Amino acid sequence: MRTRRFPGFALTIALVAAALPGVASALYSYEGSDYSYDFGSYGNGWLANCDMESDGNGAYAKYKLVGSGDQHRLEDPNGSQSGCGYGGSYATYIYSHQTCEDQAWQPDPCGATVYPSW
């Protein structure tokens, strides 16, 4: 039985994959039931923040973008009602994000800081 080989096939697949823009797989940061997650691709990165607790405390995401040391804040504008707060489209990657709960007169508890891989 003879088999045919296509030596250029693997090279073609590698070149096509390299030409596609980076796409992130969403990473989530949780603080209780509140969460934030990233999505999109390079030049079109987005962040969502969702307050899922009806406790009177707002939820927000602290995040940084690649190429900037600045920390930003994204809130869920409607609190624990249906829907999330969205930020983007960022012309770069989201470097990191972390979900926190805004508690009056005490330090805000925060979930893990996550680092998307694009």
Side-chain angles (χ1 to χ4, degrees), residues 1-112:
M1 177 189 224
R2 278 185 120 173
T3 59
R4 288 187 146 165
R5 294 184 182 229
F6 297 101
F9 183 70
L11 178 61
T12 301
I13 295 298
L15 290 174
V16 169
L20 295 174
V23 176
S25 57
L27 287 182
Y28 289 76
S29 173
Y30 289 92
E31 199 301 302
S33 297
D34 304 328
Y35 64 93
S36 62
Y37 67 97
D38 57 90
F39 58 100
S41 60
Y42 183 77
N44 192 26
W46 289 81
L47 183 66
N49 179 57
C50 305
D51 184 347
M52 304 301 290
E53 300 170 353
S54 299
D55 57 5
N57 298 324
Y60 64 94
K62 298 190 294 189
Y63 67 97
K64 292 182 180 180
L65 302 174
V66 169
S68 171
D70 297 339
Q71 182 166 285
H72 304 278
R73 180 176 168 136
L74 175 66
E75 298 187 19
D76 184 348
N78 64 3
S80 61
Q81 296 177 16
S82 181
C84 298
Y86 294 95
S89 160
Y90 304 112
T92 185
Y93 297 126
I94 296 168
Y95 175 71
S96 66
H97 62 90
Q98 177 182 36
T99 303
C100 300
E101 186 166 341
D102 201 357
Q103 295 187 349
W105 315 112
Q106 55 188 330
D108 294 345
C110 296

